[in-house]
Each structure stands twice: as structure tokens, then as C-alpha cells.
Amino acid sequence: MHRYLHASPVIDFHHAEVMAVAQSLTEGADSALERVRRCFEFVRDEIRHSSDFQLNPVTCKASDVLRHKTGFCYAKSHLLAALLRANGIPAGLCYQRLSADDSGSRFCLHGLNAVHLPDIGWYRIDPRGDKPGIATRFCPPEEVLAYVPSGPQERDFPEIWAEPLPLITELLGRCQTYEQVLAALPDVEVVQTGHGKT
């Protein structure tokens, strides 16, 4: 579990601003569940989704997401992981593969979080931010996520990553505008086998 508690260059909760916000959000919280809820709702509601609000700059590491108050789903999940880890709560990163257009010909990864809760275990939360047609909540043990993969090529990937996927950090690192990110949304190939889906 220790790897889900460590700081890193992307999940940089050792940064003074991140640590200060992590402490202020959870001051007076009387349970781990309440600490998680406060951190989740802060990132969901106070950090604006770059595409929804058409905002620059493109952010990646938690401290930059906090400073600029904007990020794509991936970046928002980096900040939430940092805030949770700063409070001693194990947190990781998860991904879904979703259709990126109505035709089903283009797919992309969506980033969200998993947090380890007392008496529940790993529980997924999605801080991307609500908008018409999308509403996420923290109400364990029920998961209320932004998206539910349903198409034949869509997937819920079961892995819980301690660090973001390299293709995510590479994309966010090289793109200067949200339009550039949208034009190059990351995807991973899904291989169909004779024995089912992989």
C-alpha cells in the first residue's frame, strides 16, 4: 500500500501549496470518509475541466493544477491523489476507454481515481467535474462515476496505478493548449482474442 502514499514529480503533495490546501480541506474532519469527501468535492467543483471551460494552460502535476485551477480529467485525478496522499489516505489512478465521438470510430482514455477506504477497500471516484448529463458523487460503497463504458470497444480497466501512465504525462507535457490535447487524446489498443476480451 505504501506506493499509493508516496509523493512524486507529478503527484507532488510535498509542494507547500498542495500541502496547505490538503490540511485546510480536512481540518476538523472526524473520519477518513469525511476527509476523502472534502478533497473529492474540492477537485470536482473548484478545479475547472480544461475542455468544458476552454481553458489554458495545459496542466499535469498536482501543484500546477492547483495553481491554475484547471486541468483535464487526468490532471484533476493527479491533484486529487496528491490531496488524499497528503492526508495519509492511499490513492491511485484508474482509466477507462471511452468513445470519443458519436460514430464510435475514435476512442480515448478517461482518467479517474481509486481510494482505499476503511471497511470498504478500493473505491473509485471521478473528479472530472459535473456538467449537464454528468453528475458524480462520493457515496460509498456505491460508485457514481461520470461514465459507464458500454460499447463493444469501451472498457473499465481494473488496474490501480500509483503513477500516471507515461502516454498521459507525455501528452500533457508537450501540448500547449487544450485544443492540442483534444486533437491528440490518448488511447490504448484493445485486443480481441478468441477467448474473450482483453
Side-chain angles (χ1 to χ4, degrees):
M1 196 63 69
H2 66 277
R3 63 195 180 114
Y4 299 105
L5 289 165
H6 282 181
S8 70
V10 174
I11 304 175
D12 57 344
F13 68 79
H14 53 275
H15 189 281
E17 293 177 30
V18 178
M19 185 62 73
V21 169
Q23 292 173 346
S24 67
L25 283 173
T26 58
E27 185 176 358
D30 57 4
S31 69
L33 292 182
E34 178 63 14
R35 291 194 293 273
V36 174
R37 183 189 66 78
R38 291 183 186 183
C39 292
F40 164 71
E41 291 181 354
F42 171 80
V43 178
R44 181 192 66 185
D45 300 339
E46 302 300 327
I47 306 299
R48 294 174 293 179
H49 191 284
S50 300
S51 177
D52 290 355
F53 291 89
Q54 300 181 347
L55 292 174
N56 294 315
V58 175
T59 57
C60 181
K61 64 181 180 178
S63 57
D64 285 344
V65 179
L66 181 62
R67 179 178 302 113
H68 296 290
K69 298 292 190 293
T70 188
F72 277 86
C73 58
Y74 322 110
K76 293 186 69 167
S77 72
H78 302 163
L79 175 58
L80 181 53
L83 295 173
L84 294 171
R85 292 182 189 184
N87 280 288
I89 298 169
L93 307 168
C94 301
Y95 300 95
Q96 297 173 322
R97 186 181 197 244
L98 303 169
S99 176
D101 57 37
D102 293 334
S103 68
S105 61
R106 182 176 177 231
F107 294 85
C108 65
L109 293 180
H110 171 61
L112 59 158
N113 293 91
V115 57
H116 199 270
L117 302 176
D119 303 320
I120 293 175
W122 286 109
Y123 171 79
R124 291 184 303 168
I125 47 180
D126 191 338
R128 83 162 302 285
D130 293 351
K131 66 177 185 177
I134 293 177
T136 62
R137 297 198 317 276
F138 176 72
C139 51
E142 179 188 5
E143 292 182 345
V144 183
L145 306 177
Y147 307 104
V148 178
S150 58
Q153 294 294 318
E154 296 185 331
R155 294 287 185 278
D156 262 322
F157 293 114
E159 295 86 0
I160 301 171
W161 298 82
E163 292 296 323
L165 296 177
L167 79 165
I168 300 290
T169 54
E170 187 277 331
L171 172 70
L172 298 179
R174 68 177 164 83
C175 290
Q176 301 298 311
T177 67
Y178 78 90
E179 294 99 333
Q180 291 174 341
V181 177
L182 287 177
L185 288 172
D187 185 22
V188 293
E189 184 177 359
V190 173
V191 179
Q192 299 285 349
T193 70
H195 303 287
K197 301 170 183 177
T198 61

